[in-house]
Amino acid sequence: MADVWVQEKCYHCGEDCIEETIHFDEKAFCCQGCKTVYEILDANKLGQYYTLENAPGISQKDYSQGQKFAFLDHAEIADKLYDFQDANIKKVSLYIPAIHCSSCIWLLENLQQLQEGICHTSVQFLNKKLSITFNADKLNLRALAELLAGLGYAPEITLAESQNKKASPNRSLAVKIGLAGFCFGNTMLLSLPEYLDTDFSLADDYKSFFAYLNLLLALPVFFYAASDYIISAWKGLRHRFINIDIPIALGIFALFGRSTYEILSASGPGYMDSLCGLVFFLLIGKWYQSKTYQALSYDRDYASYFPVAVSKINDDKEQNIPLKDVQVGDQLIIRNQELIPADAILLKGAANIDYSFVSGEAVPVQKSSGDKLYAGGRQVGSSITVEVSKAVANSYLTELWNQDVFSKDKQVHLSSVVDVVSKYFTIAILCISFLTAVYWLVHDSSMLINTVTAVLIVACPCALALTLPFTFGHSMRALGKRGLYLKNTQAIELLSKISDIIFDKTGTITQSKPQQLKLRGTSLSTQEKELLRSAVQHSTHPLSKIIYQSLPDYLGLNICSFFEEIPGKGIHAIIGEHELYLGSESYLCGQSSGDTSTTRVYLKIDGVLKGYYEFDNLYRPGFSSLMHQLSGMYKRHLLSGDNDREKEKLAPYFEEMHFRQSPLDKLEYLKKLDSEGKTTLMLGDGLNDAGALKQSSIGIAVADNIYHFSPACDAILDAQKLKYLDRFLAFTQSSMRVIRGAFLFSFLYNLLGLSFAVSGMLTPLVAAILMPLSSVTVVGFITLAINVRARKLLPPA
Amino acid sequence: MSAIFILIGISLLVALGFLGAFLWATYSGQYDDDYTPSVRILFDEPHSKNNQSNNK
């Protein structure tokens, strides 16, 4: 039978209209919510929203407003969120993860047409931030948040954000670069006569005029722009640790000291242009490295996920209280899609807890009154009342953050390439200066100061110092384009050195959503399928929804004369002359076989047990070939919080497998590997992996949506790109080889410079040519090499 | 030849003016977001005439 049935797409959000199709204004909408947003925009002459991008809206299907933003009425909480407040004008910046296209920018910047009281709005697209200035007499923060949420742009306001205000953007690096660039340009111009002074002699007053101007221009560079390097070198010395900044600082001091001496004593023109150029190039390298992914958040702990306030029942009245005031024994109301903030006992209501956040497991768990609920679970369905049994910070999940590992910064116990190189480099430079000093002391002591400072100047590892920022910066961008977003550039070196890879199971190597659905038992006739579809369409249970979507749309829908949904058990429906039961084994068969290896939903039609639907985890595409690629090169471990029902299926892929691991077990396992001296890469997705991610040498959070819900980590990997992990790792190793090549390159330049310096022939002209030349060629070499390798080793962007 | 002193003085003043402009632009936040303005500039002006109130 040919099906000439075209799937309609929602005009607002562009998704397929699956459950229902609403026609309005000759357009199709997938749900009431989408239609409402369209109506609001249309009525306010904001229809241009739909012309900028095709179907730019955010689906309103799963949206429920409820009391979600009621906590914003709390003055104490709201006050912490404002950037600025005057008598009645307030300014607030909100993080809105849904911002994704130019239509979003347009609509959010035209909000004042929609709501009186909004004075000005501006979007920062890359940070996904919206700044709103509004009149507090006409509008309060809660109404504002609800307006945004109603349009599909629900702001994410979390505990972490309300506690510590983000610092204003750091502009000092840009200022330093600008200043150094300005001074560099001008000192170059003022030094030009000196470069050309070989055959004509400049009048003395000009010479000293230019020299003093140079000195003046070099002052801000030395005291302000170069201060980071000097401070870093000083810190290194105090901790008896030789870093790359020590030879740089030595070079800067030598350049400035000798030049100042030459100028003040009128004995020479000095090297101020080289000093300014050096600092300018170094700062550019720093800036290039500091460009990271601003919109991504790598330091989230549980506070970022948990609500800012909860509804507490106080003398039969509902009250919003800040989360920090929640105490053991409090009765809380948890609504649809809200998180349980602390371990609690269910008092009443049909609890249907989605722990996907915690464990990655997508199928919600049903609980009945008296059951224990764990913090981090999300209620799906109607409201429930719970009694808090443990304080927020001491709950099963949140206790993880009380571990030592979270209180200190990650220890990089690898001897990083730079540190090794700079150590030997610095020692070598000091030895050469010393030998030069000895040689000239014996032969011609008037040359002593000249040559020693020249050695320090020329040895200043500018090209060497630029190698790392540029190689890492380029590599980081190449990886970011392909779905692996690193927190900082050190991650590249760590990735190139790992020996063990540890995978979490649910949500990391399995897909979090659409699950494989299999019917075991007798196959259903078209009529039976129709009955089943008619029954499940009334159910709000997630499993029913999955079954509903698996049944084809051409099946008709019949009217149920009776429908009942029993929480925790299943549904009972009468359609025409047929009776249908769908639910757990114990509900349908009276007893349970005890087989909990898979999630099952049993089906009984007219008293005959038809079999059961089995929900199976689906591995991410490309998983098996990825594991094949990784085998032999890395030791592969599996740490799953789940039971071991898939052990045999997974056995070929892993060398070590551990099931039923609690968040703490995972942390301990990583600690053990660490103590064995392994360099570990942990891949996880849920908050239960947070400890392991933190304890590992490098932790990567695998996320379906990189802007949402990723635990603290060193890198975020787009879940679709997990299959390329082997290529990413190979690329980082290749990047390290590029670094070694570039080091060799800059050493050669240094040798060349040293040969000038020790023989006392380093003129300002030679310095002015050699320094930029070496920097530019090394940076050019790196750019070329990394891009070629990225194209060869990485998947297409 | 003393013209050179004056000229260099003036050229430095001009250059300092540009440096000042750069610092002003940085501190006023022009480089904080280098993407959104590129999209914003492409939007058409609203068609309706009743929005004289928000001419910022």
Side-chain angles (χ1 to χ4, degrees), chain A residues 13 37 49 101 130 155 237 251 360 393 464 510 515 520 570 650 749:
Chain A
C13 69
V37 177
Y49 181 61
C101 68
L130 174 68
L237 277 180
L464 202 65
T510 63
Q515 301 211 326
R520 303 205 184 267
L650 289 165
Y749 273 116

Side-chain angles (χ1 to χ4, degrees), chain A residues 48 52 102 105-106 109 112 120 123-126 169 171 174-175 178-179 182 186 206 209-210 213 291, chain B residues 1-2 4-5 8 12 15-16 19 22-23 26-27 29 32-36 39-40 43-44 46 54 56:
Chain A
Q48 197 189 340
L52 291 166
S102 50
I105 302 177
W106 184 82
E109 296 200 337
Q112 68 266 34
H120 177 67
V123 173
Q124 282 188 34
F125 187 82
L126 295 180
R171 293 163 181 158
V175 170
L179 192 70
F182 165 79
N186 282 294
Y206 282 127
F209 175 64
F210 291 147
L213 269 182
K291 282 277 208 177
Chain B
M1 280 293 270
S2 63
I4 279 193
F5 292 113
I8 286 180
L12 266 180
L16 275 172
L19 179 69
F22 170 75
L23 294 182
T26 309
Y27 282 115
D32 292 351
D33 182 359
D34 50 11
Y35 178 81
T36 326
V39 178
R40 200 177 285 145
F43 297 148
D44 292 333
N54 49 12
K56 319 173 274 315

Side-chain angles (χ1 to χ4, degrees), chain A residues 568-571 582-591 600-602:
Chain A
K569 291 181 172 169
I571 55 179
L582 183 75
S584 68
E585 193 179 8
S586 55
Y587 175 54
L588 268 77
C589 313
Q591 86 244 15
R600 291 173 183 177
V601 175
Y602 285 76

Side-chain angles (χ1 to χ4, degrees), chain A residues 123 194 206 243 354 720:
Chain A
V123 173
E194 291 293 344
Y206 282 127
N243 57 19
D354 167 13
Q720 314 234 317

Side-chain angles (χ1 to χ4, degrees), chain A residues 328-469:
Chain A
V328 175
D330 281 357
Q331 293 193 3
L332 307 177
I333 296 182
I334 311 286
R335 294 192 173 75
N336 186 20
Q337 296 295 326
E338 284 185 352
L339 281 189
I340 301 169
D343 290 357
I345 310 280
L346 180 63
L347 292 181
K348 61 175 188 234
N352 201 359
I353 312 295
D354 167 13
Y355 282 114
S356 60
F357 220 34
V358 179
S359 63
E361 180 69 53
V363 182
V365 193
Q366 301 209 334
K367 297 277 179 191
S368 48
S369 182
D371 280 354
K372 204 171 160 78
L373 306 177
Y374 292 106
R378 187 189 287 280
Q379 162 67 0
V380 184
S382 54
S383 317
I384 52 171
T385 310
V386 300
E387 186 179 299
V388 176
S389 60
K390 268 187 186 169
V392 174
N394 295 325
S395 293
Y396 176 68
L397 178 70
T398 45
E399 208 169 22
L400 193 58
W401 277 269
N402 300 337
Q403 295 292 311
D404 280 349
V405 65
F406 285 98
S407 57
K408 55 186 181 223
D409 279 339
K410 201 166 245 188
Q411 290 277 313
V412 182
H413 41 120
L414 290 163
S415 54
S416 86
V417 179
V418 212
D419 293 335
V420 175
V421 168
S422 50
K423 194 165 141 192
Y424 290 114
F425 186 82
T426 312
I427 294 169
I429 292 307
L430 290 177
C431 289
I432 294 171
S433 327
F434 181 72
L435 290 178
T436 316
V438 170
Y439 174 85
W440 286 108
L441 202 61
V442 174
H443 289 87
D444 181 1
S445 57
S446 67
M447 290 289 280
L448 179 70
I449 298 295
N450 262 345
T451 48
V452 171
T453 49
V455 168
L456 291 178
I457 288 169
V458 96
C460 181
C462 183
L464 202 65
L466 286 175
T467 302
L468 287 161

